[in-house]
């Protein structure tokens, strides 16, 4: 706890110092890097402290704040999220320093200060033990993210994305205020420990659940509340999108988990709703991703997919908690938590390598790139590791967490009543479909960008990014492989955090249920590695004796192949999108060339974002219409506004008297 | 300590025996399919051991690599071969028990196939040829759908056996309940047979004999591979047929409570009948048009879904 407090203090000091020395670029840089590293090390020490000592520590400072106290605490759940936040902020920060070093962005110092501010605010969200403190930290995260997203605000689409983000998150913030006020009025205090001690009626719990789902769901990016996400991620500079996608949207998940800690008496339909949202977000997220041809937008949609996977784990965990089956609850929650960490690592890696790619080529459109693996070896191979992890393939970390979530769903199938069996089966099928589609999507993205030949630019002019960018990415890549082969420590950490959510101890048979099968998985994976190594050795030996020839790719009889003739990302995705066309709005505009001597023609196709076009646009249009009507009372006279205030106060007074 | 060591030694022996069975017998299935098709066509056909000769010949040949490709193109066939080979460890072959079994091994089984497919798809894109890109895209599409059917089958089997261990979901206790669960098992078997045909690139989904690029799925991906790499691909697909076919035979044959040798005999007879059955389907049907394949897989999914409903209605 003390370590954490020191870490927060270091961050606050560094923000002040950076703001003071914003004119001196070198001092700014040194301050930024130094404080980032010191704060992260201190924060990680706090996390380790929680891991080795099971005693929960709280810090209660008698700082008077409006409506509440400065009350922070650390348990395994907070520590788990803290570890993801700290690792990602540290690595993206170092990368961001390398990324921004050469660009002449204005106000770089303020950008660094805001980055530290977001870091501090996110740490504060996961350790806050008081509703008001939580909401203030939440607001700080929102505001600082807005300014981080709009670093390049000279571009109109960036400003637009920023506004959309601010609008969406404030609607969500409204729901959260309502939720905490209901909880506080029922339990009599804004402090979390008192809320947890107070029983809630199922009706009230249902209302709290709905408000929390909307409030936290907008930040997490549940479909159909996700509309800000695919705009904001591409607009932000890459190290910021990495942080946004890897940890910022996860604090929405943290919020839901914390609510599950505080309120226990949820009715059954809450779990059903969570599972359904998980399936819809996951499948639709990956389908939209498949239809995208801009790399960062594609990654943004994949964040929605992974949030769906996490929500599946969360839903089955909640169901287990409602049914008082602690095995299902623990496996479900632990799977969701481990996927939170894993997604933070591999999505961070993917966004950072996409940023490195865009920085080198100045192109983000997949269909215009190609053959970059030879020219960007670091970026390319790290992107490959990220892709393999995000598809949940064995040997990498995504597989471990998806395996846990699968296990949770299958346990639900064996132990839950009929509705539970049907929904967990649907969850399994949805998860499999997501896995298959994600594999197709990343085969497309990696294959088209990094393999084959260049499609538009001269690749020989492209230079690899500096080491200050490659090394942070490499660290994330190593974590992906490490969890893939040695998952034990992280799985146990996730189980400790899960036991905090459902406030039940980890039963001793958990070792047999989870760890020994996992050990066998790892053993088989080692068999794969060993046989591969032997065969590679044999093949190398044989290749020395046998003749090796080199030549161009076989053109099937056609000898004037150009880069433009290769299969593109659009054509790769077309066959899958055609299958899913009934569920996916797919718009084709333009005309095809016709006749024997066709003239120039243009055809373009894109996937329609259904919830944006059919759900939010009408709602926003309606709000615009209403506010147009309300304009009449707003005519710009200060006297009139004073009159309004007076009338309002009078009304309050009368209401109070009656 | 000594006892522990012996158990480990036994397990390594079992793993080795499993690998040897798969490596030795898998190309034979291709030979049987070839003979069956030749019989229907009224020809004598290639010798039964032709697939062995082909693989052996390829292993003694050199490689031709395109200058476009990277190391991924050279590593992918090897890695996919190893993944397919290792996946056999969780599957029993009749009386021979699976050397590795644990709660949740089904997921690893499916995961290894996905990994094998993923590396082959990116290897196809590595050549920069549009034909191979086309094959890769089709492969990604159909396998994605086939995997959903496969998992629905697994769900039905898991609900019937109340277990999540592949070697106990198929065969074993299941044979006792064959008389009560018959309808569901037949539906699962039918659904799984279509998945089997899709995954192994057999008619009516794909024709392994043609080399006409526009119609192909699996063959189109491997146009540029040669020598050792192509041998790995050929051998890998033979093993895949053996392992996935073995799963079907395990599901459909009631094998319990008999001496091990008889069980093994039944299993191998079952495999031969399966290979002949695939040969019959290939001789009596034409390839489906590409846009019909999703419908075929939907049919497979619906069969499994009916099986699922049967299980639910019967009561779990």
């Amino acid at each position: 706890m003390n370590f954490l407090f020191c870490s927060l203090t270091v961050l606050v000091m560094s923000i002040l110092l950076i703001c003071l020395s914003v004119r001196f670029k070198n001092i700014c840089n040194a301050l930024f890097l130094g404080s980032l590293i010191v704060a992260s090390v201190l924060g990680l020490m706090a996390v380790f402290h929680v891991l080795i000592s099971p005693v929960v520590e709280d810090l209660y400072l008698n700082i008077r704040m409006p409506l509440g106290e400065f009350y922070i605490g650390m348990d395994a759940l907070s520590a788990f999220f803290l570890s993801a936040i700290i690792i990602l902020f540290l690595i993206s920060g170092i990368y961001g320093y390398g990324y921004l070093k050469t660009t002449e962005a204005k106000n770089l110092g303020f950008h660094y200060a805001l980055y530290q501010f977001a870091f501090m605010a996110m740490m504060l969200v996961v350790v806050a033990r008081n509703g008001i403190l939580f909401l203030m930290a939440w607001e700080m995260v929102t505001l600082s993210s807005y300014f981080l997203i709009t670093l390049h605000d000279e571009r109109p689409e960036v400003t637009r994305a920023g506004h959309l983000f601010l609008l969406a998150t404030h609607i969500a913030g409204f729901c959260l205020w309502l939720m905490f006020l209901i909880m506080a009025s029922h339990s009599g205090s804004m402090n979390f420990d008192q809320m947890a001690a107070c029983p809630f009626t199922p009706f009230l719990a249902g209302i709290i659940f709905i408000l929390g789902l909307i409030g936290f769901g907008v930040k997490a990016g549940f479909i159909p509340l996700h509309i800000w996400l695919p705009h904001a991620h591409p607009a932000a500079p890459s190290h910021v999108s990495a942080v946004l996608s890897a940890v910022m949207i996860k604090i929405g998940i943290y919020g839901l988990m914390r609510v599950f800690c505080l309120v226990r008496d949820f009715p059954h339909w809450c779990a059903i709703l969570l599972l359904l949202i998980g399936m819809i977000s996951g499948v639709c997220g990956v389908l939209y991703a498949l239809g995208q041809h801009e790399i960062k937008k594609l990654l943004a949609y994949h964040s929605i997919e992974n949030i769906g996977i996490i929500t599946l784990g969360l839903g089955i965990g909640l169901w287990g908690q409602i049914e008082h089956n602690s095995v299902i609850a623990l496996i479900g929650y632990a799977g969701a938590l481990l996927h939170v960490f894993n997604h933070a690592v591999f999505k961070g890696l993917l966004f950072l390598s996409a940023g490195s790619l865009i920085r080198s080529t100045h192109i983000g459109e997949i269909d215009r790139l190609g053959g970059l693996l030879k020219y960007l070896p670091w970026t390319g191979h790290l992107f490959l590791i990220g892709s393999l992890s995000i598809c949940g393939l064995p040997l990498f970390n995504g597989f471990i967490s998806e395996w846990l979530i699968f296990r949770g769903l299958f346990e639900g199938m064996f132990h839950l009543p009929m509705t539970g069996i049907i929904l967990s089966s649907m969850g399994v099928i949805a998860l499999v479909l997501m896995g298959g589609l994600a594999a197709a999507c990343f085969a497309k993205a990696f294959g088209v960008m990094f393999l084959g030949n260049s499609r538009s630019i001269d690749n020989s002019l492209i230079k690899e990014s500096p080491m200050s960018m490659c090394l942070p990415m490499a660290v994330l890549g190593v974590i992906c492989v490490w969890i893939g082969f040695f998952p034990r420590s992280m799985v146990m950490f996730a189980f400790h955090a899960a036991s905090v959510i459902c406030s039940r101890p980890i039963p001793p048979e958990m070792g047999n249920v989870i760890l020994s099968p996992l050990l066998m998985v790892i053993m088989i994976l080692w068999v794969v590695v060993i046989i591969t190594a032997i065969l590679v050795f044999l093949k190398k030996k044989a290749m020395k004796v046998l003749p090796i020839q080199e030549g161009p790719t076989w053109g099937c009889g056609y000898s004037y192949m150009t880069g433009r003739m290769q299969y593109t990302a659009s054509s790769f995705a077309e066959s899958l999108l055609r299958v899913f066309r009934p569920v996916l709005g797919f718009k084709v505009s333009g005309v095809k060339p016709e006749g024997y001597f066709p003239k120039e023609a243009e055809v373009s196709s894109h996937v329609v974002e259904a919830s944006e076009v059919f759900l939010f646009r009408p709602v926003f249009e309606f709000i615009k219409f209403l506010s147009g009507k309300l304009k009449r009372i707003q005519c710009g006279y200060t006297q009139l506004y004073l009159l309004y205030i007076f009338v309002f106060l009078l009304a309050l007074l009368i209401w109070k008297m009656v | 300590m000594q006892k522990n060591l012996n158990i480990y030694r036994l397990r390594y022996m079992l793993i080795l025996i499993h690998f040897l069975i798969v490596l030795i017998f898998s190309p034979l299935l291709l030979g049987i399919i070839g003979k069956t098709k030749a019989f229907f066509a009224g020809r004598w056909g290639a010798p039964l051991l032709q697939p062995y000769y082909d693989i052996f010949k390829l292993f003694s040949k050199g490689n031709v690599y395109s200058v476009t490709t990277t190391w991924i193109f050279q590593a992918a066939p090897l890695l996919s071969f190893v993944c397919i080979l290792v996946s056999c460890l969780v599957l029993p072959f009749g009386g021979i028990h699976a050397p590795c079994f644990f709660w949740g091994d089904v997921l690893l089984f499916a995961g290894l196939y996905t990994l094998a497919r993923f590396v082959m798809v990116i290897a196809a894109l590595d050549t920069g040829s549009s034909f191979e890109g086309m094959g890769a895209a089709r492969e990604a599409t159909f396998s994605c759908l086939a995997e959903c059917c496969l998992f629905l089958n697994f769900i039905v089997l898991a609900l019937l056996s109340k277990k999540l261990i592949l070697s106990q979901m198929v065969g074993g206790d299941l044979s006792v309940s064959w008389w009560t669960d018959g309808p569901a098992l037949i539906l699962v078997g039918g659904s799984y047979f279509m998945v089997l045909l899709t995954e192994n690139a057999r008619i009516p989904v794909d024709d392994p004999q043609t080399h006409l690029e526009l119609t192909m799925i699996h063959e189109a991906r491997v146009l540029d591979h040669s020598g050792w790499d192509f041998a790995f691909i050929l051998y890998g697909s033979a093993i895949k047929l053996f392992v996935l076919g073995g799963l079907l035979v395990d599901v459909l044959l009631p094998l319990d409570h008999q001496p091990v040798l008889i069980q093994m005999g039944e299993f191998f007879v079952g495999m031969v009948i399966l290979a002949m059955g695939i040969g019959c389907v290939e001789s009596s049907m034409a390839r489906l048009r590409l846009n019909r394949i999703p419908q075929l897989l939907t049919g497979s999914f619906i069969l499994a879904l009916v099986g699922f409903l049967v299980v639910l209605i019967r009561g779990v």
Side-chain angles (χ1 to χ4, degrees):
Chain A
M1 201 71 237
N2 290 331
F3 286 126
L4 185 75
F5 196 66
C6 294
S7 163
L8 288 175
T9 323
V10 168
L11 283 177
V12 173
M13 295 294 288
S14 78
I15 293 166
L16 292 177
L17 286 175
I18 290 175
C19 283
L20 286 178
S21 63
V22 82
R23 281 165 185 276
F24 311 101
K25 204 175 168 187
N26 288 337
I27 301 179
C28 242
N29 287 343
L31 268 175
F32 172 67
L33 282 181
S35 63
L36 189 67
I37 291 169
V38 170
S40 305
V41 168
L42 284 170
L44 283 178
M45 280 161 84
V47 170
F48 278 118
H49 191 244
V50 173
L51 266 185
I52 51 174
S53 76
V55 185
V56 177
E57 275 187 272
D58 287 349
L59 178 75
Y60 183 86
L61 281 191
N62 202 4
I63 302 174
R64 289 204 174 268
M65 299 195 313
L67 296 171
E69 298 114 350
F70 189 86
Y71 178 29
I72 60 179
M74 279 274 273
D75 50 19
L77 182 61
S78 304
F80 193 87
F81 276 87
L82 260 187
S83 63
I85 290 172
I86 291 169
I87 291 174
L88 256 292
F89 263 95
L90 174 64
I91 286 172
S92 309
I94 297 173
Y95 172 97
Y97 165 74
Y99 186 77
L100 293 175
K101 202 165 51 178
T102 50
T103 57
E104 284 304 318
K106 53 187 185 212
N107 293 337
L108 215 51
F110 283 123
H111 180 76
Y112 287 149
L114 277 166
Y115 186 84
Q116 304 282 58
F117 189 71
F119 187 16
M120 187 199 71
M122 257 181 239
M123 279 164 81
L124 210 52
V125 167
V126 295
V127 295
R129 287 290 176 276
N130 176 287
I132 299 295
L133 183 65
F134 182 92
L135 286 170
M136 279 170 63
W138 184 267
E139 238 5 69
M140 275 151 60
V141 172
T142 306
L143 287 178
S144 54
S145 323
Y146 167 73
F147 288 111
L148 286 176
I149 291 171
T150 52
L151 173 69
H152 298 294
D153 57 357
E154 63 277 2
R155 304 208 309 257
E157 76 269 15
V158 173
T159 331
R160 189 173 165 272
H163 282 152
L164 192 62
F165 169 74
L166 211 57
L167 194 71
T169 41
H170 273 100
I171 294 171
F174 171 70
C175 292
L176 290 184
W177 274 99
L178 267 185
M179 185 190 79
F180 274 111
L181 286 178
I182 290 176
M183 282 160 77
S185 72
H186 189 74
S187 63
S189 165
M190 267 290 183
N191 284 354
F192 284 174
D193 43 3
Q194 268 153 305
M195 285 181 189
C198 168
F200 288 83
T201 59
F203 174 70
L204 208 57
I207 291 176
I208 291 172
F209 179 79
I210 291 290
L211 287 173
L213 201 63
I214 297 173
F216 292 122
V218 168
K219 198 77 133 192
F222 293 153
I223 284 178
L225 306 171
H226 66 285
I227 49 160
W228 64 273
L229 209 145
H231 296 285
H233 284 49
S238 290
H239 60 289
V240 175
S241 6
V243 167
L244 282 186
S245 173
V247 289
M248 204 273 275
I249 63 172
K250 300 304 165 29
I251 61 169
I253 297 291
Y254 167 79
L256 275 180
M257 288 179 170
R258 186 54 77 186
V259 170
F260 295 163
C261 290
L262 302 180
V263 183
R264 307 200 168 280
D265 318 292
F266 287 112
H268 276 95
W269 57 262
C270 297
I272 298 177
L273 194 60
L274 263 186
L275 282 173
L276 285 176
I277 286 177
M279 290 172 215
I280 292 171
S281 305
V283 175
C284 291
V286 68
L287 278 178
Y288 283 133
L290 207 55
Q292 297 303 323
H293 307 310
E294 214 272 331
I295 180 64
K296 281 173 86 175
K297 213 161 190 173
L298 181 145
L299 293 177
Y301 274 112
H302 266 287
S303 299
I304 299 174
E305 180 226 346
N306 279 283
I307 285 291
I309 295 177
I310 293 167
T311 315
L312 277 180
L314 208 57
I316 198 73
L318 182 63
W319 205 321
Q321 187 179 337
I322 292 169
E323 291 278 338
H324 301 289
N325 186 327
S326 57
V327 174
I328 299 180
L330 281 174
I331 297 180
Y333 285 144
L337 278 162
L338 191 62
H339 203 73
V340 164
F341 187 85
N342 286 343
H343 179 247
V345 174
F346 55 63
K347 187 49 75 62
L349 174 61
L350 285 170
F351 262 116
L352 295 184
S353 44
S356 157
L357 170 92
I358 292 172
R359 187 177 177 274
S360 303
T361 61
H362 305 288
I363 295 173
E365 208 176 319
I366 299 174
D367 278 344
R368 290 180 57 202
L369 298 166
L372 287 170
L373 191 66
K374 289 175 188 158
Y375 301 93
L376 298 173
W378 282 82
T379 310
H381 287 109
L382 288 165
F383 191 90
L384 178 62
I385 292 179
S387 314
L388 289 162
S389 311
I390 198 172
C391 300
L393 296 175
L395 307 177
F396 295 90
N397 60 354
F399 179 73
I400 305 290
S401 45
E402 286 194 17
W403 188 82
L404 275 179
I405 293 175
F406 266 122
R407 280 294 308 274
L409 290 169
F410 271 103
E411 292 298 322
M413 219 177 286
F414 296 140
H415 299 294
L416 291 182
M418 188 62 101
T419 11
I421 296 174
I422 293 172
L423 274 157
S424 358
S425 312
M426 281 164 67
V428 169
I429 299 294
L431 203 49
V432 171
L433 189 60
M434 283 176 224
L437 291 172
C441 190
F442 275 93
K444 161 192 124 174
F446 176 77
V448 172
M449 289 194 305
F450 290 101
L451 303 175
N453 288 317
S454 172
R455 287 178 174 77
S456 66
I457 46 169
D458 184 4
N459 275 353
S460 56
L461 302 174
I462 287 168
K463 279 199 215 76
E464 179 60 289
S465 303
M467 270 300 136
S468 58
M469 288 165 68
C470 291
L471 281 181
M473 295 195 286
V475 173
L476 289 178
V478 167
I479 297 178
C480 284
V481 180
W482 169 65
I483 297 181
F485 276 102
F486 307 100
R488 194 194 150 93
S489 48
M490 279 318 286
V491 169
M492 282 320 287
F493 194 7
F495 268 97
H496 281 295
S499 80
V500 170
I501 302 176
C502 52
S503 65
R504 290 212 185 84
I506 303 173
E509 75 263 20
M510 215 49 167
N512 272 331
V513 175
I514 289 298
L515 286 183
S516 33
L518 211 51
L519 196 71
M520 290 293 288
V521 170
I522 303 305
M523 201 199 87
I524 293 188
L525 294 184
W526 277 112
V527 172
V528 172
V529 172
I530 291 168
I531 299 182
T532 310
I534 294 171
L535 285 181
V536 166
F537 176 73
L538 286 179
K539 192 180 164 193
K540 279 242 164 87
K541 282 255 167 188
M543 291 297 112
K544 275 183 191 149
V545 187
L546 296 169
I548 300 286
Q549 289 173 36
E550 286 204 334
T553 300
W554 187 47
C556 301
Y558 186 74
S559 39
Y560 300 101
M561 299 293 278
T562 68
R564 298 271 316 257
M565 287 181 192
Q566 296 172 86
Y567 229 50
T568 57
S570 331
S571 34
F572 189 90
E574 198 264 352
S575 56
L576 259 173
L577 290 179
R578 187 195 292 269
V579 176
F580 289 96
R581 193 173 278 184
V583 280
L584 206 64
F586 197 69
K587 202 169 163 190
V588 180
S589 53
V591 283
K592 289 177 183 167
E594 277 173 5
Y596 294 113
F597 300 100
K599 292 202 176 73
E600 200 172 285
E602 205 176 18
V603 177
S604 71
S605 67
H606 62 272
V607 174
V608 181
E609 175 58 90
S611 61
E612 194 175 323
V613 177
F614 299 118
L615 187 67
F616 281 91
R617 197 159 289 162
V619 170
F620 283 154
E621 288 297 322
F622 181 66
I623 292 175
K624 203 170 146 193
F625 168 77
L626 269 191
S627 41
K629 292 278 175 214
L630 278 176
K631 221 177 189 173
R632 202 166 293 168
I633 59 167
Q634 197 176 30
C635 46
Y637 293 120
T638 319
Q639 297 93 322
L640 207 59
Y641 294 153
L642 284 175
L643 182 69
Y644 291 155
I645 294 173
F646 178 70
V647 169
F648 183 69
L649 282 177
L650 206 65
L652 274 184
L653 211 64
I654 291 168
W655 182 60
K656 198 72 192 169
M657 273 171 14
V658 175
Chain B
M1 194 63 211
Q2 190 61 37
K3 199 182 161 195
N4 256 347
L5 215 63
N6 279 336
I7 289 176
Y8 275 115
R9 223 170 266 162
L10 194 69
R11 172 165 278 169
Y12 288 133
M13 287 300 294
L14 278 175
I15 290 178
L16 269 185
I17 291 173
H18 237 64
F19 281 155
L20 281 180
I21 291 177
V22 169
L23 287 174
I24 291 172
F25 288 107
S26 54
L28 193 62
L29 285 188
L30 294 181
I32 295 174
I33 293 177
K35 270 286 179 203
T36 316
K37 286 171 82 173
F39 171 76
F40 272 92
R43 292 182 287 118
W44 187 243
L48 207 54
L49 299 182
Q50 187 60 40
Y52 294 93
Y53 302 143
D54 287 346
I55 291 168
F56 186 75
K57 182 186 74 189
L58 284 169
F59 270 122
S60 56
K61 278 192 169 185
N63 278 14
V64 183
Y65 290 123
S66 158
V67 281
T68 312
T69 58
T70 59
W71 65 271
I72 290 174
F73 180 78
Q74 307 184 17
L78 199 153
L79 189 57
S80 94
F81 171 79
V82 175
C83 285
I84 293 169
L85 180 63
V86 170
S87 74
C88 79
L89 288 182
V90 295
L91 189 76
F93 296 139
I96 309 165
H97 292 291
C100 302
F101 52 89
F102 52 92
W103 204 267
D105 55 4
V106 183
L107 309 170
L108 183 69
F109 184 76
L112 283 173
Y113 279 102
T114 319
L115 178 62
R117 194 181 304 129
F118 185 87
V119 288
M120 283 310 291
V121 165
I122 58 173
L125 289 172
D126 199 6
T127 58
S129 151
S130 46
F131 288 121
E132 292 183 43
M134 202 181 281
R138 290 171 182 170
E139 165 87 355
T141 308
F142 301 135
S143 61
C144 173
L145 301 174
E147 210 169 344
C148 289
C149 304
L150 179 69
F151 263 82
L152 195 55
N153 291 327
F154 282 153
I155 288 174
V156 177
L157 291 178
L159 282 177
L160 285 178
S161 62
K162 292 277 173 206
K163 290 209 172 62
L164 197 54
I165 303 174
L166 190 60
S167 47
Q168 292 171 18
M169 281 158 61
V170 297
D173 298 344
L174 210 61
S175 60
V176 183
S177 56
W178 175 255
W179 302 113
T180 51
D181 300 328
L185 283 181
I186 289 172
L187 285 167
V188 165
S191 160
Y192 180 74
F193 188 63
M194 294 189 207
V195 175
L196 180 74
L197 293 179
T198 313
E199 284 285 325
N200 288 296
R202 314 304 309 189
I203 288 175
V205 177
D206 188 12
D207 189 353
Q209 302 299 320
T210 61
H211 286 271
L212 182 67
E213 298 82 13
L214 284 176
T215 63
M216 295 188 302
I217 303 171
H218 290 246
E219 288 294 309
R221 290 176 320 165
V222 298
L223 281 175
D224 262 82
H225 288 282
S226 54
W228 273 56
D229 293 340
F230 195 55
F232 280 132
I233 290 170
L234 220 58
Y235 212 173
S237 58
I239 295 175
K240 194 173 181 182
L241 182 63
F242 188 86
V243 174
L244 292 179
L247 185 60
L248 183 64
V249 172
D250 277 337
V251 170
L252 291 184
L253 275 187
L255 290 168
D256 220 18
H257 308 304
Q258 282 160 346
V260 174
L261 275 179
I262 294 183
Q263 283 190 41
M264 275 178 64
E266 278 185 358
F267 177 79
F268 283 105
V269 171
M271 290 299 280
V272 170
I273 293 174
L274 176 72
M276 282 156 66
I278 292 175
C280 293
V281 171
E282 297 212 340
S283 317
S284 56
M285 278 184 85
R287 236 192 85 255
L288 285 177
R289 259 166 47 213
L290 273 176
N291 48 4
R292 288 288 171 131
I293 297 173
Q295 296 174 9
L296 178 85
L297 289 170
T298 315
S300 156
F301 191 79
I302 287 171
L303 275 186
L305 200 62
V306 175
F308 179 66
L309 291 179
V310 167
V311 174
L312 281 192
I313 289 168
R314 195 208 56 174
V316 188

